[in-house]
């Protein structure tokens, strides 16, 4: 019984040690004004439409590949940072 407990505990600690943390944002702060588009900005000759949403309150976090905007009510929006 003791052997099983020690083995189970060892496997549990090993599993916890292998977990990785989420990457920290490159930059973060309060929003003064940020605009997120629903897709990349249209280039000359492309057809279709482009729409955006502007936020003037909340928080923004910029990661390597994504921008996350959190509204004051907790709703989150994200867009790739390479647009």
């Amino acid at each position: 019984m003791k052997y099983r407990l020690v083995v189970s505990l060892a496997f549990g600690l090993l599993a916890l040690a292998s977990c990785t943390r989420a990457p920290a944002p490159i930059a973060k702060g309060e929003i003064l004004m940020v605009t997120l588009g629903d897709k990349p900005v249209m280039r000359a000759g492309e057809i279709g439409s482009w729409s955006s949403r502007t936020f003037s309150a909340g928080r923004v976090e910029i990661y390597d590949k994504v921008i996350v905007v959190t509204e004051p009510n907790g709703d989150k929006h994200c867009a790739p940072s390479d647009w």
Side-chain angles (χ1 to χ4, degrees):
M1 181 69 174
K2 276 187 172 181
Y3 178 71
R4 285 186 187 166
L5 179 62
V6 170
V7 171
S8 296
L9 185 59
F11 280 122
L13 291 175
L14 183 62
L16 285 176
S18 66
C19 293
T20 58
R21 290 184 176 187
I26 297 168
K28 64 181 180 178
E30 294 293 319
I31 293 175
L32 297 177
M33 187 180 85
V34 64
T35 300
L36 289 182
D38 63 344
K39 57 186 168 190
V41 175
M42 304 294 290
R43 289 179 273 181
E46 290 184 328
I47 58 173
S49 63
W50 182 82
S51 63
S52 64
R53 187 162 174 199
T54 301
F55 301 92
S56 58
R59 297 197 49 81
V60 64
E61 296 175 323
I62 301 171
Y63 295 89
D64 184 38
K65 299 191 185 265
V66 69
I67 297 170
V68 178
V69 171
T70 306
E71 293 185 75
N73 66 4
D75 288 349
K76 292 188 178 206
H77 309 271
C78 63
S81 59
D82 61 351
W83 281 2

